[in-house]
Amino acid sequence: MAIVQESVFIKLTEQQTLHLRRIADNSNEAGPAVFFMHGAVENGKIFYTHSNKGLAPFLAEQGYVCYVADLRGRGQSKPAISKHADYGQTEAIIEDIPAFIAKITEREGKPPAYWVAHSWGGVLMNSVFARFPQYINDVKACAYFGTKRSLYNHHPQKYLQGNLIWYFLAPILAKKHGYLPAKKLKWGSDDETKKSHYQSMQWAKRKPWIDSDDGFDYAQTVASLTLPPTLHIGGVKDKALAQQVDIEKFIEESGLGVQKLQMYGKQHGHQFDYDHINMLTHPSAKLDQFKDLLAWFEHHSIAS
């Protein structure tokens, strides 16, 4: 068995190229495909390293064919975000993610059977299901790590990272630079466009889940949908960005389908007290949430 990584590029427009990282066991190329979506101020590297650490290589070892996306301007998608980048999360939902799904389907001969997201990536995925409900029947199960839409918790770190940084300082810096230089500021592993920051900031403020471009009502649409069975994974030390109450509120607005929330930390019998990032990067994750995610996928593979 050898886990092999390959970059797949998608020419979205004359100016924009999207990147997918395909990670698979070269002795088992026929396994089900998994689509991975990162969150805000991030890129796909949250799910893998080039030395085959992380969730995507772990699933590849179990026979899955993994496709990790970099949204427009992030990671190896080119050109990188700059003051000239005028796109936001609307474009991610209606253009980028459908282009990723189409490329995976073209490469594998079938659409991805499982979707995995970190943080804001889960909001984008549910938004895609709202816009394109035809995807729902193709997906056997989802798993979202630390995903919330709006912040409900009152922890001091939430007021620092949410209110002070994301709502107050970030808009000032985005206006000054023409984009949010989050990587340089060490606020994340990648930058964010001015539009994308503005749109995600509006949704995180508990305001209606409505698209600022065309008024599409995600909340109303999702409420009537039965989304794929979704495992929500939270970390007990994720105090600012996705506490249990925040994830529970997101579950409430995520339609009629089967959803399960599991918190990960020593108090629940796990190896480590996980936070927003190391729930995907800590070596012990293989023994805790990665193992449970695998069981979730296997159960719903049989159930479907």
Side-chain angles (χ1 to χ4, degrees):
M1 180 181 78
I3 303 303
V4 175
Q5 298 192 20
E6 171 194 1
S7 283
V8 178
F9 293 97
I10 305 164
K11 189 170 185 179
L12 189 66
T13 68
E14 287 300 317
Q15 293 79 33
Q16 297 285 341
T17 301
L18 298 177
H19 173 254
L20 279 168
R21 191 72 169 175
R22 185 182 188 274
I23 304 172
D25 174 2
N26 66 355
S27 66
N28 182 16
E29 293 281 335
V34 187
F35 171 52
F36 294 79
M37 176 49 53
H38 62 79
V41 295
E42 272 184 20
N43 57 50
K45 291 299 291 294
I46 189 73
F47 295 112
Y48 72 98
T49 68
H50 290 293
S51 59
N52 287 324
K53 294 174 182 173
L55 177 58
F58 171 83
L59 286 177
E61 289 172 357
Q62 316 303 317
Y64 292 86
V65 179
C66 298
Y67 281 89
V68 184
D70 286 329
L71 284 172
R72 200 178 312 192
R74 260 66 76 88
Q76 293 185 64
S77 293
K78 301 297 180 190
I81 287 170
S82 70
K83 65 182 180 181
H84 304 294
D86 59 357
Y87 48 86
Q89 63 183 30
T90 306
E91 287 79 6
I93 293 162
I94 67 174
E95 296 175 10
D96 295 15
I97 294 175
F100 291 131
I101 301 301
K103 178 57 73 173
I104 296 167
T105 305
E106 175 193 315
R107 285 287 304 257
E108 300 302 318
K110 56 190 174 184
Y114 302 95
W115 289 19
V116 177
H118 178 234
S119 195
W120 199 254
V123 179
L124 296 179
M125 282 186 162
N126 277 9
S127 301
V128 169
F129 286 133
R131 292 266 191 178
F132 305 100
Q134 64 268 28
Y135 288 145
I136 294 172
N137 289 338
D138 294 329
V139 182
K140 295 179 184 293
C142 299
Y144 295 168
F145 287 76
T147 291
K148 56 83 189 58
R149 182 176 73 82
S150 302
L151 288 166
Y152 289 85
N153 79 76
H154 295 286
H155 194 276
Q157 288 185 34
K158 176 258 180 181
Y159 290 99
L160 172 65
Q161 294 184 48
N163 295 55
L164 178 61
I165 292 178
W166 200 245
Y167 300 154
F168 179 70
L169 292 177
I172 294 171
L173 290 165
K175 185 176 181 181
K176 177 184 176 183
H177 296 281
Y179 70 104
L180 182 61
K183 187 175 181 180
K184 184 177 179 181
L185 295 164
K186 294 184 167 52
W187 288 357
S189 58
D190 220 318
D191 297 329
E192 199 78 13
T193 69
K194 184 178 178 181
K195 179 181 177 182
S196 184
H197 169 262
Y198 169 79
Q199 291 184 309
S200 62
M201 180 176 66
Q202 297 309 305
W203 285 2
K205 283 181 174 176
R206 304 189 207 174
K207 293 195 174 186
W209 188 6
I210 292 174
D211 199 289
S212 61
D213 273 15
D214 63 4
F216 184 89
D217 192 328
Y218 296 96
Q220 184 179 42
T221 304
V222 171
S224 64
L225 294 175
T226 301
L227 300 185
T230 303
L231 175 64
H232 294 264
I233 292 162
V236 297
K237 289 191 75 175
D238 190 350
K239 300 299 186 184
L241 299 175
Q243 278 199 36
Q244 184 167 338
V245 63
D246 305 316
I247 300 172
E248 287 171 346
K249 291 289 188 181
F250 182 62
I251 288 173
E252 286 176 16
E253 64 181 13
S254 293
L256 307 170
V258 174
Q259 299 189 71
K260 178 183 178 182
L261 170 59
Q262 178 71 57
M263 299 299 295
Y264 286 82
K266 291 179 181 177
Q267 68 205 65
H268 301 294
H270 301 118
Q271 306 283 325
F272 188 75
D273 288 333
Y274 297 97
D275 64 23
H276 195 66
I277 298 298
N278 67 26
M279 64 170 67
L280 277 164
T281 60
H282 195 278
S284 294
K286 279 188 176 184
L287 304 172
D288 292 328
Q289 51 269 33
F290 290 8
K291 183 181 69 174
D292 292 347
L293 179 153
L294 189 62
W296 181 258
F297 282 2
E298 289 174 349
H299 172 75
H300 289 287
S301 172
I302 296 166
S304 60

